Amino acid sequence: MNTRIYNVRILTMEDGKDIFQGEVWIQDDTITYVGPGRQDQKEWDQEIDGEGSLLMPGFKNAHTHSAMTFLRSHADDLKLDEWLFNKVFPAEGKLTGESLYWFTKLAFMEYLTSGITTAYDMYFYVDDGARAAKDAGFRYVFCDSINNFGGTVDQVEKDFLRLNIDRFRLISHRIGFHAEYTTSRELMEGIAALAERHQAPVSVHCSETRKEVEECRERYGCSPVALMDSLGLFRYGGTLFHCVHMDETDYDILKKRGIYVVTNPASNLKLASGIAPIKRYLDLDIPVAIGTDGAASNNCLDMFREMFLVTGLQKAVCDDPEAVPAREVLKMATVNGARACGLPECDSIAEGKKADLILIDLNQPNMQPLRNLDKNLVYSGSKSNVKMTMIGGKVLYRDGEFYLDSSREEIFAKANEYAEKIFADL
């Protein structure tokens, strides 16, 4: 399909490029032209009038547990240990592949309204999550959450090999495990051997709470980052989720290994886990991306709220209004997010990149006057400004309507039906 998007301001997120007026051409799922309007117009299968909106790369939710939508508002106002072991794990034990399918689709709907075009998902029932993504047309990166309670290294390898063959890269897979505090040394060593065999990065929850770090020190005499690095887990890089409580030596390891940090400010605030040292990461040129975490701990899958918290919290804790400027936050939510997910082809608007794009409605009070639009997005933007979300050249959300394989009504009904069944016995 040939698609033309015109009458738009374009924020490519390429280094050194300012916002400009122009248009974008798309062949199937790939961008073929970015620039001013041209005279050599051709026949189009689809033309989209942006009506003066801002066209930009979609946001990448670089850490989430999509199907946790069923746990929204179920386990609030609790400490992490009680939240996880007494509330979340028992409910997750009642999940089925079919229920996860519908809970995941519900998350996709919420992502689309927030301009999120990729989810880096760590959860169970990978086949059903992948089926939901394929059916909906959502870009979905899966990493395993194996731990002492379930999963094997052999299964991680099988998932890695069979889910990285989609030539359109709508579905992909990265090696991962849940966390140091839920995973034995033997199992971590198995993951390290697997990463070495495939020369692949590893993804994991890391240093989310002070208690987690202290208990790791009691067990192994070092921080979670140092332990995992000593086991060879990061020889080919990695993506670490949270990274709130860090030792001085941890920063050196992150930089040396080229590791991406994914910050989850709303989740960390709600669980009182702490505030990640984002400015320190940036000062050390450690790349940072942004994730919502799951709806059990957030409870809102909203990238605009996350972006504001990333910068607002750093300004407060650093006592520095210049800490973490808006443009850097946009880079975290787009460029860095794509690269942390292993999707550099989705990081910006340029010829040859994937057409994962969003239109931001500028004709609303919170975007006026039309000055410093990058700052408007971070400091005053909201989901209400998302006019269109496109993934792989296909419009999945526009002007409040979803264009998915299932209707809004069916997804809501199925999600409520399965949630009732799960909680009936809890």
Side-chain angles (χ1 to χ4, degrees), residues 4 23 25 33 36-44:
R4 175 193 179 214
E23 59 185 67
W25 300 357
Y33 172 76
R38 291 180 7 190
Q39 298 301 313
D40 56 332
Q41 299 294 318
K42 54 184 178 180
E43 294 296 321
W44 302 99

Side-chain angles (χ1 to χ4, degrees), residues 294-312:
S297 62
N298 192 323
N299 303 5
C300 182
L301 308 178
D302 183 349
M303 189 57 72
F304 288 92
R305 185 168 76 168
E306 302 298 328
M307 288 194 296
F308 180 81
L309 287 173
V310 167
T311 179

Side-chain angles (χ1 to χ4, degrees), residues 48-110:
I48 298 173
D49 183 351
E51 301 175 331
S53 297
L54 178 71
L55 186 71
M56 63 178 291
F59 301 126
K60 282 69 182 180
N61 189 352
H63 176 57
T64 188
H65 313 280
S66 294
M68 273 189 166
T69 49
F70 85 103
L71 288 164
R72 194 194 312 267
S73 303
H74 167 65
D76 298 327
D77 309 318
L78 299 171
K79 290 182 171 61
L80 178 61
D81 282 1
E82 184 179 353
W83 171 85
L84 185 62
F85 291 101
N86 296 344
K87 291 288 188 178
V88 172
F89 282 172
E92 287 179 333
K94 294 182 175 295
L95 273 174
T96 64
E98 187 63 18
S99 64
L100 178 137
Y101 173 87
W102 291 103
F103 295 141
T104 300
K105 276 194 167 182
L106 178 61
F108 291 162
M109 292 177 70
E110 192 168 0

Side-chain angles (χ1 to χ4, degrees), residues 52-310:
S53 297
L54 178 71
L55 186 71
M56 63 178 291
F59 301 126
K60 282 69 182 180
N61 189 352
H63 176 57
T64 188
H65 313 280
S66 294
M68 273 189 166
T69 49
F70 85 103
L71 288 164
R72 194 194 312 267
S73 303
H74 167 65
D76 298 327
D77 309 318
L78 299 171
K79 290 182 171 61
L80 178 61
D81 282 1
E82 184 179 353
W83 171 85
L84 185 62
F85 291 101
N86 296 344
K87 291 288 188 178
V88 172
F89 282 172
E92 287 179 333
K94 294 182 175 295
L95 273 174
T96 64
E98 187 63 18
S99 64
L100 178 137
Y101 173 87
W102 291 103
F103 295 141
T104 300
K105 276 194 167 182
L106 178 61
F108 291 162
M109 292 177 70
E110 192 168 0
Y111 296 150
L112 292 170
T113 66
S114 184
I116 293 170
T117 55
T118 297
Y120 195 178
D121 200 291
M122 174 187 273
Y123 220 49
F124 319 117
Y125 295 106
V126 57
D127 289 333
D128 297 284
R131 178 166 60 96
K134 288 178 181 177
D135 289 349
F138 195 87
R139 199 172 303 281
Y140 187 79
V141 183
F142 189 88
C143 73
D144 295 278
S145 60
I146 69 164
N147 52 50
N148 296 337
F149 307 101
T152 66
V153 175
D154 285 345
Q155 187 58 54
V156 173
E157 183 166 36
K158 289 177 182 177
D159 292 342
F160 179 81
L161 293 173
R162 66 194 178 85
L163 292 173
N164 283 320
I165 59 173
D166 178 8
R167 68 186 181 91
F168 296 108
R169 299 264 285 161
L170 194 66
I171 308 295
S172 56
H173 179 278
R174 309 267 277 179
I175 294 170
F177 64 101
H178 181 261
E180 176 276 325
Y181 64 92
T182 58
T183 311
S184 68
R185 182 181 185 126
E186 181 182 15
L187 198 49
M188 286 189 280
E189 288 172 341
I191 290 290
L194 176 61
E196 176 66 32
R197 188 153 60 247
H198 295 285
Q199 299 185 12
V202 173
S203 299
V204 61
H205 294 105
C206 186
S207 302
E208 183 174 359
T209 67
R210 186 171 285 108
K211 182 174 184 286
E212 171 192 340
V213 176
E214 290 172 350
E215 291 183 348
C216 182
R217 284 194 168 282
E218 291 175 4
R219 280 190 292 269
Y220 299 106
C222 60
S223 71
V225 173
L227 170 68
M228 291 187 281
D229 186 57
S230 73
L231 298 178
L233 282 159
F234 305 138
R235 188 166 297 171
Y236 299 97
T239 303
L240 302 188
F241 310 130
H242 299 293
C243 292
V244 176
H245 300 279
M246 308 296 282
D247 292 350
E248 286 302 313
T249 56
D250 293 343
Y251 297 108
D252 295 334
I253 293 170
L254 297 182
K255 189 169 179 62
K256 176 183 177 182
R257 298 299 187 188
I259 290 171
Y260 280 81
V261 168
V262 180
T263 187
N264 309 266
S267 174
N268 292 158
L269 280 176
K270 185 166 174 284
L271 291 170
S273 299
I275 300 171
I278 303 304
K279 186 177 187 303
R280 181 75 183 278
Y281 292 135
L282 298 182
D283 289 345
L284 294 171
D285 292 324
I286 295 170
V288 178
I290 302 173
T292 63
D293 213 346
S297 62
N298 192 323
N299 303 5
C300 182
L301 308 178
D302 183 349
M303 189 57 72
F304 288 92
R305 185 168 76 168
E306 302 298 328
M307 288 194 296
F308 180 81
L309 287 173
V310 167

